[in-house]
């Protein structure tokens, strides 16, 4: 069998306020051509299909147009999609009955049976070859939120000891963190056990998960802490040797984790200027019977260039801007994105005007101008920072430190991450309940 593994499309992402529909449309067109050219048997999309839980109609149209076009050109293609932490699981599953007619399986959440066991059957998707024979099973595990894997639903499983080859959850200062990691481990373990019972000799097992594995490299700036500030990361030992390939999503940097069979495909497009130098790709996976024979990266062409200039003194930056080679024939939606970082000795009120003058007439889109000013005479004074460059977690930590004269400890950060995730989960729930649902105002 031949599979294509991709993840973290983030359809509908706005980049510093600018829409990226043209880039996403170009990527999906390239992906479709690649599926046809390679005669793939299955496409695996490992979460973060959309950028927000309530994606725009244009973003949803991109996805559904792609699915229809893929089925038209490759009628035997199996497509499996799981929800990521940016997605609403309920929204992902909403059109599932219709998508199944297009050989597309959309899994957004996990469920539990009356006896407390995982409803594994709905998460096991058969993958067929060109002759329609089941050659593999996909263990499609969407992003797991704390409410789905902790509490009474898992009490009965507590009595079953974990296999010796699965390590205990990493030590944590918070009970909630331990419970969450233990819950994730149970779900993985029960799903693997169900898959081993379901498959026939000669059929491969392919696990797909949206999670953070121990030891994996996180993107510099564009990734949201999943739930509890990194304490929720799981061990690759949860994927035993019987799993031929593990298709991971969430981390934007393409990488293998320990073994060639365990991989993040990474995001197909850079989602932040910090990802300019990443190798963006999808992964072509070849299965031979029950085993992996090859996992080969396929570079994704970048439909819109992304440039960074600086950090450097103003004179050097202006010279670099004037020397930029642009292509005036490009449509505006294909003009390169540009970030400029300037090191200053003192504030310059007309800095933006001088940068704009250097770019006059050039087919580029300046999205971000970062000013880097020196510290004052007081060496203890905080460095100047722009609010735009800070994420919610870093802003909280800085505010806490200013208020209490000490940085927040791990417990405080864990509480903040949990509260933030509750807000995000609440947004996803409200979205799933529809526009007429009235949410109680938060203080």
């Amino acid at each position: 069998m031949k599979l294509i593994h991709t993840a973290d499309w983030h359809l509908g992402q706005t980049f510093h306020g600018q829409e990226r529909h043209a880039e996403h449309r170009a990527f999906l067109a390239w992906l479709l051509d690649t599926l046809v050219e390679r005669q793939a048997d299955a496409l695996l999309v490992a979460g973060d299909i959309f950028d927000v839980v309530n994606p725009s109609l244009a973003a949803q149209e991109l996805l559904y147009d792609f699915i229809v076009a893929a089925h038209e050109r490759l009628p035997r293609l199996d497509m499996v999609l799981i929800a990521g932490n940016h997605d609403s699981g309920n929204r992902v599953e909403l059109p599932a009955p219709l998508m199944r007619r297009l050989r597309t399986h959309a899994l957004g959440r996990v469920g539990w049976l009356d006896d407390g066991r995982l409803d594994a059957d709905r998460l096991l998707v058969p993958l067929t070859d060109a002759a329609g024979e089941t050659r593999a099973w996909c263990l499609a595990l969407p992003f797991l939120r704390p409410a789905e894997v902790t509490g009474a639903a898992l009490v009965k499983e507590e009595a079953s000891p974990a296999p010796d080859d699965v390590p205990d959850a990493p030590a944590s200062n918070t009970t909630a963190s331990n419970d969450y990691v233990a819950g994730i481990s149970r779900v993985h373990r029960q799903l693997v056990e169900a898959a081993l019972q379901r498959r026939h000799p000669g059929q491969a097992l392919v696990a797909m998960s949206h999670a953070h594995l121990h030891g994996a490299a996180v993107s510099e700036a564009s990734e949201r802490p999943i739930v509890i500030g990194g304490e929720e990361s799981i061990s690759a030992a949860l994927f035993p040797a019987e799993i031929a390939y593990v298709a991971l999503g969430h981390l934007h940097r393409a990488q293998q984790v320990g073994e060639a069979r365990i991989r993040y495909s990474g995001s197909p497009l850079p989602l932040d200027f910090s990802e300019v130098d990443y190798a963006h790709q999808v992964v072509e996976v070849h299965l031979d019977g029950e085993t992996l024979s090859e996992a080969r990266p396929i570079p994704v062409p970048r439909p819109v260039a992304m440039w960074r200039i600086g950090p450097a003194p103003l004179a050097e930056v202006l010279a670099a801007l004037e020397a930029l080679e642009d292509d005036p024939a490009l449509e505006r939606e294909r003009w390169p994105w540009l970030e400029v970082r300037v090191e200053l000795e003192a504030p310059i009120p007309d800095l933006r005007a001088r940068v704009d003058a250097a770019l006059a007439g050039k087919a580029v889109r300046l999205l971000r101008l970062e000013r880097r000013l020196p510290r004052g005479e007081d060496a203890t004074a905080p460095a100047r920072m722009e609010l735009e460059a800070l994420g919610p977690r870093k802003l909280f930590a800085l505010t806490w430190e200013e208020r209490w004269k000490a940085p927040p400890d791990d417990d405080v950060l864990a509480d903040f991450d949990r509260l933030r995730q509750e807000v995000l989960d609440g947004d996803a729930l409200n979205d799933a309940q529809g526009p007429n649902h009235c949410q109680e105002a938060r203080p």
Side-chain angles (χ1 to χ4, degrees), residues 22 36 62 69 81 93 99 143 153-155 182-183 223 240 252 257 294 335 347 357 402 423 427 439:
V36 173
L62 284 172
L81 298 77
E93 289 199 354
M99 288 199 286
F143 172 68
L154 295 173
V155 170
E223 286 158 1
H252 300 162
V257 185
E294 184 180 13
W335 287 8
E402 181 179 4
V423 172
D427 290 342
Q439 180 186 9

Side-chain angles (χ1 to χ4, degrees), residues 8-275:
D8 297 283
W9 291 0
H10 289 269
L11 299 178
Q13 185 210 17
T14 56
F15 196 38
H16 296 273
Q18 302 297 310
E19 291 184 346
R20 305 185 73 181
H21 295 318
E23 289 173 271
H24 290 131
R25 192 179 301 111
F27 160 67
L28 293 175
W30 171 86
L31 178 60
L32 181 53
D33 289 341
T34 300
L35 291 166
V36 173
E37 176 187 347
R38 308 277 175 148
Q39 287 298 292
D41 296 299
L43 171 68
L44 308 181
V45 186
D48 280 356
I49 303 161
F50 298 113
D51 192 58
V52 294
V53 297
N54 187 21
S56 66
L57 292 177
Q60 295 178 70
E61 186 177 12
L62 284 172
L63 174 65
Y64 302 133
D65 282 352
F66 170 80
I67 291 172
V68 170
H71 183 68
E72 288 175 346
R73 295 181 65 180
L74 290 169
R76 299 299 310 176
L77 178 73
D78 292 313
M79 290 177 275
V80 188
L81 298 77
I82 57 172
N85 59 304
H86 281 249
D87 298 311
S88 161
N90 288 325
R91 176 177 288 278
V92 167
E93 289 199 354
L94 185 63
L98 291 175
M99 288 199 286
R100 279 196 292 269
R101 294 178 178 271
L102 304 174
R103 300 184 66 85
T104 300
H105 305 265
L107 286 306
R109 53 189 172 76
V110 298
W112 302 95
L113 303 175
D114 291 340
D115 61 2
R117 291 181 297 114
L118 177 71
D119 185 2
D121 286 346
R122 67 186 302 272
L123 303 176
L124 295 176
V125 179
L127 303 179
T128 59
D129 61 13
E133 295 291 330
T134 298
R135 297 298 182 188
W137 289 89
C138 179
L139 292 67
L141 194 58
F143 172 68
L144 299 171
R145 290 183 162 82
E148 294 178 293
V149 297
T150 58
L154 295 173
V155 170
K156 293 186 178 181
E157 210 273 347
E158 289 282 1
S160 302
D164 294 337
D165 60 344
V166 178
D168 294 334
S172 168
N173 293 327
T174 60
T175 302
S177 174
N178 281 331
D179 289 347
Y180 180 58
V181 175
I184 292 177
S185 300
R186 294 188 195 101
V187 171
H188 280 79
R189 186 164 62 250
Q190 289 187 23
L191 184 56
V192 170
E193 290 172 353
L196 290 171
Q197 294 175 6
R198 174 71 65 87
R199 69 119 170 240
H200 294 161
Q203 295 176 340
L205 297 181
V206 177
M208 181 163 59
S209 182
H210 192 88
H212 182 182
L213 261 62
H214 297 332
V218 179
S219 176
E220 175 185 331
S222 66
E223 286 158 1
R224 175 192 301 163
I226 302 182
V227 175
I228 310 174
E231 294 181 3
E232 81 297 336
S233 58
I234 62 176
S235 170
L238 289 173
F239 304 104
E242 290 88 349
I243 305 294
Y245 183 77
V246 181
L248 295 169
H250 178 64
L251 303 187
H252 300 162
R253 187 191 296 269
Q255 59 193 290
Q256 69 178 50
V257 185
E259 306 175 56
R261 70 185 179 98
I262 304 177
R263 289 180 180 259
Y264 286 95
S265 64
S267 59
L269 299 174
L271 302 175
D272 183 83
F273 282 106
S274 64
E275 298 181 7

Side-chain angles (χ1 to χ4, degrees), residues 298-311:
I298 306 174
V300 177
R302 194 168 293 179
V304 173
M306 189 176 288
W307 297 340
R308 297 182 104 179
I309 290 181

Side-chain angles (χ1 to χ4, degrees), residues 35 217 347 384 442:
L35 291 166
R384 292 175 179 266
R442 296 189 182 93

